[in-house]
Amino acid sequence: MKKIIKIPFANFYEDASFSSQIVTQGVMWEIAAVLDVRGDWVRLRLPDGYEGWTQNFSTLDLSEAMESQIGTLLRVRIHTPHLAIRFQSGVEGPRDAVAAMGAAFPYFREQDCRYEVMMPDGKHAYLHQEALPDLGPREIILHLAARLLGTAYFWGGKTENGCDCSGITQLSFGLAGIALPRDASQQIKVLKEHPVKLSEAEPGDLAFFQNDNGRITHVAIMRNTPEFIHSSGEVKLNSFDPAAPHYSEKLDRMLEGIYSIRMLIGKELS
């Protein structure tokens, strides 16, 4: 059995309780496998392999008919923060719904960046989203990460409503067409064979940080060496240059290494 996330984003918890820790989020139109059910709670596995408990009210059952229908449609991936969705074509004014960055909507037709999309309940709706700039993957990653500057840190978050350090990297890379695992400790395993020196780092390369026990606890996106974008308290810009006003001595000391993403560029998003 499969479920569709039907709300802009749904919190996934470690256990079937609001008092347990949030571990990640699902966004609208993500299709998840059902692993267990406990009252009003359902345990799901998201497309990135991450598992957690969420409330049934944030999901809909995916019927075979719906799965077959959406399999015939193209998808528009949302890269605009808090994008408005309306249920009537061409009508301006208050939105009827909202999409979170990272969501991928099946759509029926598109004209001049206006899309007639399918909602998870099968209804038709409309959204307007300009295309991303015609840039390379590294530039797109930085462009998207910069859109999130000032966003509050939120443990387990992966949208513009609040994100953690690995959430912003997974989101920015995903929108650039590069699939990354959810956690920093998983992401470093993808790149571990491709270390680079700070002086050789290119925009979009990833810097990883470790605690005193050697455990990977943080990740950042290199901007223009030695600057990097990351989520800590908020999404912000810091530097490895001791002379820079936004130098972070703590993160400089915690740096485990910087890794090239060259081998990921060109791979299709799963």
Side-chain angles (χ1 to χ4, degrees):
M1 182 178 178
K2 297 177 183 177
K3 292 271 194 178
I4 306 169
I5 305 301
K6 73 172 185 178
I7 59 178
F9 65 92
N11 292 331
F12 277 52
Y13 296 80
E14 194 171 62
D15 202 358
S17 168
F18 286 120
S19 62
S20 67
Q21 180 174 276
I22 294 172
V23 293
T24 191
Q25 293 172 327
V27 297
M28 188 182 290
W29 266 118
E30 279 195 299
I31 295 173
V34 176
L35 303 177
D36 197 3
V37 177
R38 191 184 302 170
D40 293 333
W41 292 85
V42 58
R43 184 172 178 82
L44 301 176
R45 180 184 296 120
L46 289 166
D48 63 7
Y50 226 82
E51 299 176 6
W53 291 89
T54 194
Q55 282 270 299
N56 248 324
F57 62 64
S58 63
T59 71
L60 289 172
D61 292 341
L62 176 63
S63 66
E64 290 184 6
M66 172 72 83
E67 188 169 21
S68 176
Q69 183 180 11
I70 62 177
T72 67
L73 300 174
L74 296 175
R75 292 205 176 210
V76 54
R77 192 170 290 271
I78 306 304
H79 56 77
T80 304
H82 309 292
L83 187 68
I85 301 172
R86 296 181 173 86
F87 295 138
Q88 295 184 34
S89 175
V91 176
E92 300 298 330
R95 68 193 185 199
D96 295 302
V98 65
M101 291 176 70
F105 281 72
Y107 69 91
F108 301 100
R109 55 190 62 84
E110 178 271 333
Q111 184 175 2
D112 299 327
C113 298
R114 296 182 182 275
Y115 296 83
E116 182 179 352
V117 300
M118 179 189 288
M119 298 296 284
D121 61 3
K123 293 180 180 177
H124 290 218
Y126 303 87
L127 60 84
H128 178 229
Q129 177 176 251
E130 298 293 336
L132 283 168
D134 186 17
L135 301 171
R138 292 178 181 274
E139 290 74 21
I140 288 292
I141 290 166
L142 269 298
H143 174 80
L144 293 165
R147 285 186 174 181
L148 295 167
L149 286 169
T151 299
Y153 179 90
F154 185 78
W155 178 272
K158 63 176 191 180
T159 77
E160 69 272 31
N161 299 280
C163 59
D164 59 23
C165 64
S166 55
I168 185 177
T169 55
Q170 188 188 50
L171 174 60
S172 300
F173 275 65
L175 289 170
I178 300 172
L180 281 181
R182 179 62 180 87
D183 288 343
S185 60
Q186 298 170 319
Q187 292 172 2
I188 193 173
K189 292 177 182 177
V190 177
L191 302 172
K192 192 65 176 177
E193 302 303 316
H194 305 276
V196 292
K197 297 177 182 178
L198 174 61
S199 60
E200 299 170 343
E202 298 180 73
D205 287 345
L206 293 182
F208 291 91
F209 306 84
Q210 60 187 357
N211 62 16
D212 292 339
N213 297 321
R215 179 172 173 267
I216 298 299
T217 58
H218 195 60
V219 60
I221 304 171
M222 296 303 299
R223 186 172 176 258
N224 294 316
T225 301
E227 293 182 327
F228 54 93
I229 294 176
H230 65 126
S231 183
S232 177
E234 63 180 320
V235 178
K236 59 188 177 183
L237 190 67
N238 278 121
S239 175
F240 289 120
D241 180 2
H246 51 310
Y247 170 64
S248 173
E249 186 276 334
K250 177 182 178 180
L251 289 178
D252 197 0
R253 174 169 38 86
M254 292 175 61
L255 180 65
E256 188 277 344
I258 301 172
Y259 297 86
S260 174
I261 65 167
R262 188 173 304 165
M263 48 82 70
L264 297 179
I265 294 174
K267 286 190 175 182
E268 291 186 2
L269 181 66
S270 62

